[in-house]
Amino acid sequence: DQQVKQNSPSLSVQEGRISILNCDYTNSMFDYFLWYKKYPAEGPTFLISISSIKDKNEDGRFTVFLNKSAKHLSLHIVPSQPGDSAVYFCAAPWGSYNTDKLIFGTGTRLQVFP
Amino acid sequence: DGGITQSPKYLFRKEGQNVTLSCEQNLNHDAMYWYRQDPGQGLRLIYYSQIVNDFQKGDIAEGYSVSREKKESFPLTVTSAQKNPTAFYLCASRAGLINSPLHFGNGTRLTVT
C-alpha cells in the first residue's frame, strides 16, 4: 500500500515560471513531511520540510503547502531555473523513535527548459 | 568534510554470487539506512539500524543482509536469494533527533547478469 503518492511522474516548466509538484498521503497520523531533490546517479538531498502544525513553509524560491483535510501537500518553486531539473520526492517519517523510517513517494521528474 | 561514502559507484556481478556494498559515514549519526531505487517505484527501505549491533528489516528485506558492528559502517550484502538485485542502492544516515532529515550517499549501481 503506497502511503505517500506522487501521481505525476513528470512535469515540464519554462524557466522563470512556477513549478508545482504535488504529493498525496493516506495516513492521517503523518505529522511531518519532507521534500528531497535527486539528480541522476546521485543521492537525494534534503530540500525543505513542513510540520503538520503549519500549512506553509518557505525557504527562498521553495515553498511547501500542506492541506491536512485533503491529505495533500505541494512544493512550489518560483522562479524555476534549469538547475532545478531533477527528480523530487516527498516523504513522511513513520514509527516510534526506535523504529522510525522515512516513507517516500515515487517521485516527479521536473524539467525546466529555457 | 562530513558525509556518507558509498563504494564502489558501479558494481557488476554474475547471477548466483553474493556481493557486499560498502557504506561509511563520518557524521557521527546513530541511525543508518539502506534504500533501493527502481524506475517508477521511488525509494524502498531494505534495512535500517538505530544503534550499533542492532538493525531492523524494512519493507523489502528478503534476499539482503546487513551488519552494524561499528557506528560508522553499515554494509549491505545482496545475496543470491534476491530475485531482482539489479538496482541503484542508496545508503543514508541521520542524527537521533526526531524528524531530522536523512543524509544520503551517492549510491551504488549494481548490475547482475
Side-chain angles (χ1 to χ4, degrees), chain A residues 64-85:
Chain A
V64 56
F65 296 91
L66 176 62
N67 182 334
K68 289 187 288 293
S69 61
K71 296 193 185 72
H72 176 83
L73 61 155
S74 60
L75 174 68
H76 293 214
I77 307 174
V78 182
S80 301
Q81 299 174 352
D84 296 329
S85 298

Side-chain angles (χ1 to χ4, degrees), chain A residues 12 27 32-33 44 47 49 66 75 78 88 93:
Chain A
S12 189
N27 190 337
Y32 198 81
F33 302 90
L47 195 55
S49 62
L66 176 62
L75 174 68
V78 182
Y88 291 79

